[in-house]
Amino acid sequence: MKKILILLSYLYAYLLPGQKAQLPSIMVGQEKYIDLGYPDLAFVESQLSIDPNDPKHMLAGAIMVDPTRTDDYWNVALTTFDGGVTWKFHKFEIPQAADPWGLIMENGEALFSVLGFDSLLVYHSVDGGKTWGKAPINLGVGHDHQVLVEDRSNGPYKNSVYLTSIKGNDIYIARKDSTNKPFQGISQFKANNLNTNTLTPVVLSDGTLIASYINFQRYGTDGAQWLQNELAWIVKSNDGGRTFSPPLFVSEACGKGFDQLGVDASDSKYKDRLYWLCATPKDRAIYFHYSTDSGNKWSQPFPIRTFNQDTTYERPVFNNAPMMAVNKEGIIGIIWQEREQHPPSKCQYLYFTASVDGGQTFLPPVKISQKPSCPLDGKNGWAGIRWKPGGDYQGLATTANGNFLALWSDSRSGIFQLYQAEIKVSARN
């Protein structure tokens, strides 16, 4: 019934009297294997950044894992200047490094953050990732879930780059301004007495920085206990991250996973609309929310994908790594890994959907990967158990021409390797 209603909404929106329906469409390009020359090592937790001025210049991050040794994993950066035909490989010599996150800035330079065992480091590349400086900025110990975002507004902090992380159990903000000065920690505060993780930050068109976080555990006399429902929040700053608003509540529909805050940074009619994407194993659904007033009020959670509640699988559908991006036309793209179509749920495929109306409705999902990825089979070892969908997050970004590019970890060969595919969404055929 829900699919019928969505289809009728599209017909109403796009069908004029006496004319043929012109419905939105999703066109998926050929998936491509990225050969890094290490067929016996697993590559997981992919992340992708694309030069806003050059769609052929891209920076990807991943964790390179030896599946035979639980202490052998490293962050790597991959750079391409020909649209993904060839990739340059760089391994950061920081052992047991996780949470890779890179960023290509508007000036074409690149940053890459590495969460090491005992420090959070940020590397700078003046040539867009061809080479990396040997003296990274060290932001200290105790960090987790760090993310980078650039202010591409016309506000007072234009071209500043923000890093948000959880430090201890405090929300931590560092900023690098548009000069060559390094990152500096400018804010650190405790949101509440619950266990907290920071997520993706965004910047509005007026330069307002919005940081996001979730609460997932309480601390009590009986130790740390999971909350019945994850609590999602944002805080806003109008002074470059020095001070923040009181917390603004987003949702309690989400479950364990890496939620994502997004923004429409285009000049479309949905400009500055905020989006929240999450999933929950409890409801076995992927939820979407939107805000039209900078995060003060949020829509009810909308399930863009629900899974069979009655079918018993060897292991449940893993759907807690959805990622989204918004293109220059205001179209929202979302990817996720799904096992529903492959009983007994040992293998998974990458799926994509899109919204052309600001998150009010979504197109029927399409399959991006054409072969099953089976993380617990083959040679993944402990990496297949730790990163079942290929990572706590995956790569999705938009190009300067408005297309989406997905970058994900796929185990079709028996071990996690990286694949890419370009996706075009047309608002009308």
Side-chain angles (χ1 to χ4, degrees):
M1 184 64 181
K2 183 185 296 292
K3 291 183 178 179
I4 294 174
L5 291 174
I6 292 174
L7 178 59
L8 288 174
S9 71
Y10 284 127
L11 290 173
Y12 177 80
Y14 291 99
L15 184 60
L16 297 176
Q19 291 188 349
K20 185 178 179 180
Q22 294 180 311
L23 300 180
S25 63
I26 298 173
M27 291 160 282
V28 180
Q30 183 178 5
E31 54 186 341
K32 299 177 183 178
Y33 167 57
I34 300 176
D35 187 358
L36 300 177
Y38 296 91
D40 295 322
L41 298 180
F43 292 86
V44 297
E45 203 132 289
S46 58
Q47 186 265 336
L48 180 65
S49 178
I50 301 178
D51 191 324
N53 300 307
D54 180 2
K56 293 186 176 182
H57 178 203
M58 297 183 278
L59 171 66
I63 307 174
M64 184 174 70
V65 182
D66 184 341
T68 67
R69 296 180 51 184
T70 57
D71 61 346
D72 193 349
Y73 50 98
W74 310 74
N75 274 6
V76 297
L78 316 171
T79 313
T80 179
F81 290 87
D82 56 16
V85 178
T86 59
W87 291 84
K88 179 180 175 61
F89 177 91
H90 179 85
K91 175 184 174 183
F92 295 96
E93 297 298 329
I94 308 298
Q96 299 182 35
D99 292 1
W101 202 278
L103 174 70
I104 301 178
M105 297 179 285
E106 274 196 315
N107 63 5
E109 298 180 9
L111 298 168
F112 198 94
S113 59
V114 176
L115 184 64
F117 179 75
D118 58 357
S119 58
L120 173 57
L121 306 175
V122 183
Y123 290 83
H124 184 199
S125 172
V126 297
D127 52 18
K130 292 179 181 178
T131 59
W132 294 93
K134 296 184 180 299
I137 298 301
N138 190 332
L139 295 175
V141 300
H143 292 269
D144 198 9
H145 279 258
Q146 87 284 355
V147 178
L148 298 167
V149 67
E150 184 178 25
D151 181 346
R152 294 174 182 170
S153 73
N154 290 315
Y157 301 97
K158 177 178 173 60
N159 293 128
S160 292
V161 177
Y162 297 97
L163 179 147
T164 67
S165 74
I166 194 73
K167 185 174 183 181
N169 203 37
D170 294 347
I171 294 172
Y172 175 88
I173 312 291
R175 189 181 74 222
K176 178 186 182 305
D177 63 24
S178 57
T179 69
N180 290 324
K181 294 180 180 179
F183 273 98
Q184 293 182 336
I186 55 174
S187 183
Q188 184 172 338
F189 60 94
K190 190 177 297 294
N192 49 46
N193 66 337
L194 300 173
N195 204 347
T196 304
N197 261 334
T198 48
L199 303 167
T200 48
V202 300
V203 179
L204 300 181
S205 61
D206 64 357
T208 299
L209 170 67
I210 303 182
S212 61
Y213 63 94
I214 55 170
N215 297 133
F216 59 94
Q217 285 180 329
R218 68 171 182 86
Y219 293 110
T221 56
D222 50 353
Q225 301 292 326
W226 288 96
L227 299 177
Q228 291 187 5
N229 295 292
E230 176 186 284
L231 306 177
W233 307 84
I234 62 169
V235 288
K236 299 192 286 188
S237 174
N238 295 314
D239 58 5
R242 293 186 179 89
T243 61
F244 284 87
S245 70
L248 301 173
F249 183 67
V250 178
S251 177
E252 57 182 346
C254 307
K256 301 176 183 178
F258 194 86
D259 300 9
Q260 187 184 5
L261 173 67
V263 66
D264 187 336
S266 74
D267 288 324
S268 74
K269 63 181 179 180
Y270 306 112
K271 179 179 180 179
D272 281 337
R273 183 174 286 202
L274 294 176
Y275 303 119
W276 191 279
L277 177 68
C278 65
T280 172
K282 183 178 70 173
D283 292 345
R284 301 183 77 175
I286 298 175
Y287 284 118
F288 188 86
H289 316 64
Y290 65 85
S291 172
T292 60
D293 61 359
S294 303
N296 294 305
K297 297 187 294 292
W298 290 83
S299 69
Q300 288 292 318
F302 175 76
I304 65 170
R305 192 65 160 167
T306 55
F307 302 92
N308 191 340
Q309 298 286 332
D310 301 324
T311 304
T312 300
Y313 291 99
E314 182 177 316
R315 58 195 174 100
V317 173
F318 196 96
N319 61 324
N320 73 343
M323 297 297 291
M324 69 175 156
V326 185
N327 74 3
K328 65 176 185 178
E329 299 169 348
I331 297 173
I332 308 161
I334 297 175
I335 58 171
W336 68 93
Q337 295 279 3
E338 181 175 318
R339 295 182 183 143
E340 188 79 5
Q341 304 298 325
H342 202 285
S345 197
K346 286 187 175 182
C347 303
Q348 60 208 22
Y349 295 86
L350 188 74
Y351 279 77
F352 177 90
T353 187
S355 173
V356 300
D357 58 8
Q360 297 173 83
T361 59
F362 284 84
L363 296 172
V366 298
K367 186 185 293 184
I368 302 300
S369 55
Q370 299 304 311
K371 294 185 179 180
S373 173
C374 309
L376 297 184
D377 295 339
K379 299 184 294 183
N380 281 318
W382 71 277
I385 298 172
R386 166 60 182 86
W387 291 286
K388 294 185 184 72
D392 293 341
Y393 48 83
Q394 304 167 85
L396 182 68
T398 64
T399 65
N401 60 14
N403 289 347
F404 295 87
L405 188 71
L407 177 76
W408 73 98
S409 298
D410 194 298
S411 189
R412 69 185 64 182
S413 66
I415 193 167
F416 279 125
Q417 297 280 289
L418 296 180
Y419 285 76
Q420 67 185 56
E422 191 164 1
I423 306 149
K424 181 179 181 180
V425 180
S426 296
R428 297 190 181 189
N429 283 332

